[in-house]
């Protein structure tokens, strides 16, 4: 379960059917608030916190509850791995060890879901969420930068994967010296890093950190030089989504990589609001070369081979941008 200010969200379950419960009076809420490594209620009828709980007094008549409160990256408990029974139970040492082990494994899986295991930095999924939050809250221009470490495959082929990971971790450590106030730093994989910051925060520290990496790095008895390239993209508030901003940065970085530019190079782009303007025009004005239309995807009964229905998929066609799935422009539509 994940626990927020009002609700206990049951994200995965076996033996029960509920998907959420009110936080007030919930076992999981008490477990999260307890700050205990393991929270155990051997007999709920004897516990003044739960004796009158509806789940105890009525169906399913919970008596035993045990939970491992797992923590987020800031060290605060955000949810529980728990089990319950309709009979009072004394949880022995073996049971405690199993529950703690499973909980620690879950905690690690959740951390890996949002963080790079090599650098400990946010991964792409987490970075996009944080960047979108930054863009939503900012009243100033938002900047994003992609920093690529070149010849990673070459280094891996010569020195092996372990050396590569140590090199990437060292690059991440040096990039981390660019202390952008309220800025973001992430490792997107394969030695590609991402920064984000709002306008008014100078990128001089970021540039200084990049030049710091011009100094050869020594790992063990091997010294290597690192070649970097950086592209930065900016967007005015409410003019682009995080996904669109990073897509532009990815395309610019790919162009730079294709041209085989080495060492530290900079390229700046502005996320134009031209798409937004054309979408708005399409919605409110007659535009001969810009329109929304449906495409129909058949649904087939596999037992008979007959078409039994269609799914209508909305598309946006524009003379300048071609045919585009609506999910790419839906935020602009909204």
């Amino acid at each position: 379960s994940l626990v927020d200010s009002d609700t206990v969200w049951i994200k995965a379950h076996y033996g029960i059917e509920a998907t959420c419960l009110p936080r007030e009076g919930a076992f999981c809420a008490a477990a999260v608030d307890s700050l205990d490594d393991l929270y155990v209620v051997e007999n709920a009828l004897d516990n003044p916190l739960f004796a009158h709980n509806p789940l105890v007094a009525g169906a399913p008549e919970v008596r035993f509850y045990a939970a491992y409160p797992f923590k987020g990256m800031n060290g605060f408990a955000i949810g529980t791995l728990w089990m319950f029974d309709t009979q009072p139970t004394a949880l022995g040492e073996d049971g405690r060890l199993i529950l703690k082990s499973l909980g620690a494994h879950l905690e690690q899986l959740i951390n890996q879901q949002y963080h790079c295991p090599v650098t400990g930095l946010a991964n792409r999924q987490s970075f996009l969420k944080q960047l979108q939050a930054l863009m939503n809250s900012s009243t100033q221009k938002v900047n994003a930068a992609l920093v690529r470490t070149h010849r990673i495959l070459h280094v891996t082929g010569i020195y092996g994967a372990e050396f590569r990971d140590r090199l990437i971790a060292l690059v991440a450590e040096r990039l981390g010296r660019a202390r952008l106030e309220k800025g973001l730093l992430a490792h997107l994989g394969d030695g590609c890093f991402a920064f984000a910051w709002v306008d008014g925060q100078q990128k001089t520290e970021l540039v200084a950190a990049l030049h710091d990496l011009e100094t050869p790095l020594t790992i063990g008895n091997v010294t290597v030089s690192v070649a970097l390239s950086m592209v930065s993209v900016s967007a005015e508030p409410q003019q682009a989504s995080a996904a669109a901003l990073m897509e532009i940065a990815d395309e610019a970085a790919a162009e730079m990589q294709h041209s085989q530019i080495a060492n530290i190079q900079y390229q700046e782009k502005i996320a134009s609001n031209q798409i937004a303007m054309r979408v708005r025009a399409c919605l409110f004005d007659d535009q001969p070369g810009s329109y929304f239309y449906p495409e129909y995807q058949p649904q087939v009964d596999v037992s008979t081979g007959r078409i039994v229905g269609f799914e209508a998929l909305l598309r946006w066609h524009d003379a300048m941008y071609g045919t585009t799935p609506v999910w790419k422009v839906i935020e602009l539509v909204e």
Side-chain angles (χ1 to χ4, degrees):
S1 296
L2 294 175
V3 181
D4 67 15
S5 58
D6 303 308
T7 308
V8 175
W9 301 98
I10 304 175
K11 305 302 293 183
H13 52 84
Y14 176 80
I16 61 172
E17 296 303 324
T19 56
C20 64
L21 297 167
R23 177 184 175 124
E24 185 177 358
F27 285 88
C28 292
V32 166
D33 293 338
S34 71
L35 305 181
D36 294 338
D37 292 336
L38 205 63
Y39 187 82
V40 180
V41 178
E42 294 186 348
N43 189 346
L45 287 177
D46 296 336
N47 190 309
L49 286 177
F50 305 110
H52 301 292
N53 187 296
L55 299 178
V56 176
E61 299 183 349
V62 176
R63 296 295 179 265
F64 166 77
Y65 172 90
Y68 176 93
F70 58 84
K71 299 177 177 61
M73 62 178 297
N74 294 323
F76 297 105
I78 59 174
T80 56
L81 175 68
W82 58 276
M83 57 184 177
F84 80 90
D85 200 350
T86 56
Q87 299 295 327
T89 303
L91 188 64
E93 287 304 315
D94 287 347
R96 289 175 177 270
L97 179 60
I98 290 172
L99 188 55
K100 282 185 177 181
S101 298
L102 288 172
H105 181 60
L106 173 63
E107 201 167 61
Q108 183 181 27
L109 288 177
I110 292 175
N111 187 61
Q112 291 176 353
Q113 180 77 12
Y114 296 101
H115 297 86
C116 168
V118 174
T119 64
L121 297 174
N123 60 16
R124 177 178 285 270
Q125 178 182 0
S126 180
F127 179 75
L128 284 174
K129 291 178 182 292
Q130 295 179 57
L131 177 58
Q132 188 63 63
L134 184 66
M135 296 176 72
N136 291 345
S137 61
S138 177
T139 57
Q140 296 177 295
K141 184 169 64 176
V142 176
N143 307 276
L146 280 184
V147 178
R148 288 191 180 275
T149 310
H150 295 275
R151 298 196 293 271
I152 288 295
L153 288 177
H154 180 70
V155 169
T156 306
I158 296 176
Y159 301 110
E162 183 179 351
F163 183 92
R164 173 205 61 202
D165 289 348
R166 292 175 64 186
L167 176 63
I168 290 174
L170 193 54
V171 171
E173 181 182 334
R174 290 201 179 183
L175 288 177
R177 297 173 187 173
R179 299 296 181 186
L180 300 175
E181 183 184 358
K182 296 183 180 178
L184 305 175
L185 170 61
H187 179 224
L188 309 186
D190 297 327
C192 180
F193 297 87
F195 281 89
W197 68 96
V198 298
D199 206 26
Q201 298 168 337
Q202 301 301 317
K203 64 178 181 182
T204 53
E205 292 185 351
L206 172 57
V207 173
L210 293 175
H211 281 292
D212 184 30
L213 282 162
E214 287 184 308
T215 305
L217 304 175
T218 300
I219 301 173
N221 59 353
V222 177
T223 300
V224 295
S225 296
V226 177
L228 300 170
S229 63
M230 184 186 85
V231 297
S232 65
V233 182
S234 60
E236 296 297 331
Q238 313 304 320
Q239 291 296 338
S241 67
L245 198 63
M246 291 306 296
E247 188 172 332
I248 294 171
D250 283 330
E251 290 174 356
E255 291 173 6
M256 181 178 288
Q257 188 173 28
H258 183 69
S259 63
Q260 296 185 347
I261 296 175
N263 213 329
I264 297 179
Q265 299 288 339
Y266 308 99
Q267 181 174 339
E268 296 194 18
K269 288 198 172 188
I270 298 177
S272 171
N273 62 357
Q274 185 66 29
I275 292 179
M277 293 169 60
R278 293 185 73 86
V279 169
R280 293 190 186 101
C282 174
L283 289 172
F284 298 108
D285 301 306
D286 290 330
Q287 297 288 323
S290 183
Y291 52 86
F292 288 96
Y293 70 98
E295 286 186 347
Y296 297 101
Q297 179 170 289
Q299 297 174 331
V300 180
D301 184 338
V302 295
S303 62
T304 64
R306 296 183 61 187
I307 294 176
V308 295
F310 292 91
E311 180 180 8
L313 307 174
L314 192 60
R315 295 287 183 263
W316 176 51
H317 177 80
D318 185 83
M320 181 180 298
Y321 296 102
T323 299
T324 306
V326 166
W327 65 266
K328 287 193 174 184
V329 296
I330 195 67
E331 290 185 0
L332 299 173
V333 173
E334 290 174 343

